[in-house]
Amino acid sequence: MKSKNAGMGSHQEDGTAQPQEMRSQMKNIFGTLVAGAMAGAAAKTCVAPLDRTKIMFQVSTNRFSAKGAFRLLCQTYRTEGLLSLWRGNSATMVRVVPYAAIQFCAHEQYKRLLGAYYDMHGRYRNVRQALVQIYQEEGVRALCRGFMPTILGIIPYAGLSFFTYETCKRVYEEHCGGLQPHPVERLIFGACAGVVGQSASYPLDVVRRRMQTSGTPKSNIASGGHGIIVLVASTKKSARGTLLQVVQEEGVVRGLYKGLSMNWVKGPIAVGISFTTFDLLQIIFRKLEEGGK
């Protein structure tokens, strides 16, 4: 009887512990969703004027220059007012808020699950150890295995951004004895992540913009430093066809990387704000949860 009661007691404890753990996980997921949504909204709103200006050049034949972009920005402000620089931002929020919420939440869950798996199976602790160990065990050729498929494949912007940001934080913590980065340092790490991610995926962004405006007639948008900005729609339906059309008409650098320098300004700002906002909100939510217990 005693052992039976003990068994019932342990089963009861397990039964109550499991719902508590599930509630804690659900609360954590909800917190990351909220933090991710707010981070995405803050980042996109801050860079909306720069983003709008860049897009106007992306879908036109006008050659991009920093001077021309600045003149277009000023011209828009003078003719249409300050709020016109944020025109369409509410529509952007409808897309960005759920996307950022899911993106950050998924990243945190995968990081938790994969981190537990690798810790349990004794995998590499960091990138440096992985490189050294692979080199020692398999040689230089092992480091280049899968190089061509990787280069020829499309590297997603989000993957590169998260990888760069998390790597910067990990290296910082290793060199500083586990100390958490300062918010300013988080901004710098996020800026680096933004530069890497957006530079790699930029040609696809140009192709996407052209495809989004396919079927629309040529029309004047606004006057900038190089005269009239004219919308140019893609006559191709496929991404490959659109990419080839841009290269043939405007060249590789001038066509596929048009406005990239603008992205080097707005991208680091946006990604830095996004990552920093998310991290700080996560810390705040954690402290609030600990204070409520």
Side-chain angles (χ1 to χ4, degrees):
M1 287 291 290
K2 189 175 180 181
S3 61
K4 191 179 287 187
N5 288 338
M8 287 175 64
S10 63
H11 177 73
Q12 206 169 24
E13 285 175 12
D14 291 343
T16 54
Q18 196 171 357
Q20 285 178 357
E21 187 179 345
M22 287 182 65
R23 280 197 296 269
S24 178
Q25 287 181 0
M26 290 302 296
K27 192 181 290 186
N28 182 46
I29 290 171
F30 179 75
T32 54
L33 284 170
V34 173
M38 293 175 71
K44 275 294 183 182
T45 301
C46 286
V47 299
L50 298 177
D51 204 27
R52 184 175 182 269
T53 304
K54 180 205 70 174
I55 291 170
M56 291 170 76
F57 275 96
Q58 279 185 324
V59 296
S60 76
T61 55
N62 292 60
R63 189 164 188 170
F64 178 85
S65 70
K67 189 177 180 181
F70 180 73
R71 285 183 179 176
L72 178 59
L73 200 64
C74 294
Q75 178 74 11
T76 305
Y77 167 70
R78 284 197 298 267
T79 57
E80 302 178 52
L82 181 65
L83 291 179
S84 68
L85 298 176
W86 277 269
R87 182 179 297 152
N89 192 53
S90 56
T92 302
M93 289 300 101
V94 174
R95 175 181 66 86
V96 167
V97 167
Y99 167 76
I102 294 168
Q103 182 188 45
F104 276 102
C105 184
H107 171 69
E108 289 297 307
Q109 295 306 308
Y110 282 128
K111 190 169 70 171
R112 180 178 62 82
L113 292 171
L114 293 175
Y117 174 82
Y118 289 140
D119 287 342
M120 186 172 63
H121 289 78
R123 296 300 172 97
Y124 309 118
R125 290 193 302 272
N126 52 52
V127 176
R128 184 175 57 189
Q129 187 205 2
L131 290 172
V132 172
Q133 189 170 331
I134 291 171
Y135 171 73
Q136 289 174 345
E137 293 177 359
E138 303 177 61
V140 178
R141 292 184 64 183
L143 294 173
C144 302
R145 193 177 295 148
F147 177 75
M148 285 308 296
T150 303
I151 293 299
L152 294 174
I154 298 169
I155 304 171
Y157 159 74
L160 272 175
S161 298
F162 277 114
F163 173 77
T164 305
Y165 183 69
E166 292 294 338
T167 301
C168 288
K169 285 202 304 181
R170 179 67 61 85
V171 170
Y172 178 90
E173 289 171 7
E174 286 178 1
H175 282 278
C176 297
L179 290 175
Q180 289 294 312
H182 188 271
V184 175
E185 290 163 333
R186 291 179 190 272
L187 276 171
I188 295 170
F189 298 158
C192 294
V195 169
V196 173
Q198 294 197 346
S199 296
S201 61
Y202 194 79
L204 297 172
D205 190 42
V206 173
V207 170
R208 178 170 63 90
R209 301 291 183 191
R210 291 291 178 95
M211 292 180 72
Q212 284 176 335
T213 56
S214 64
T216 58
K218 293 186 178 182
S219 59
N220 294 340
I221 297 179
S223 56
H226 294 279
I228 300 297
I229 300 291
V230 180
L231 175 69
V232 176
S234 168
T235 57
K236 307 292 182 182
K237 291 184 179 180
S238 67
R240 183 174 178 273
T242 302
L243 187 143
L244 291 174
Q245 181 185 348
V246 172
V247 171
Q248 288 169 359
E249 294 178 357
E250 302 178 59
V252 176
V253 176
R254 188 183 164 192
L256 294 179
Y257 292 93
K258 180 185 291 183
L260 178 60
S261 56
M262 175 71 84
N263 250 34
W264 286 343
V265 175
K266 81 170 190 66
I269 295 171
V271 179
I273 291 172
S274 179
F275 281 133
T276 304
T277 303
F278 179 79
D279 276 353
L280 294 179
L281 284 172
Q282 284 283 85
I283 292 168
I284 291 169
F285 291 161
R286 202 175 298 121
K287 287 184 176 178
L288 289 172
E289 187 178 351
E290 290 171 357
K293 287 181 180 178

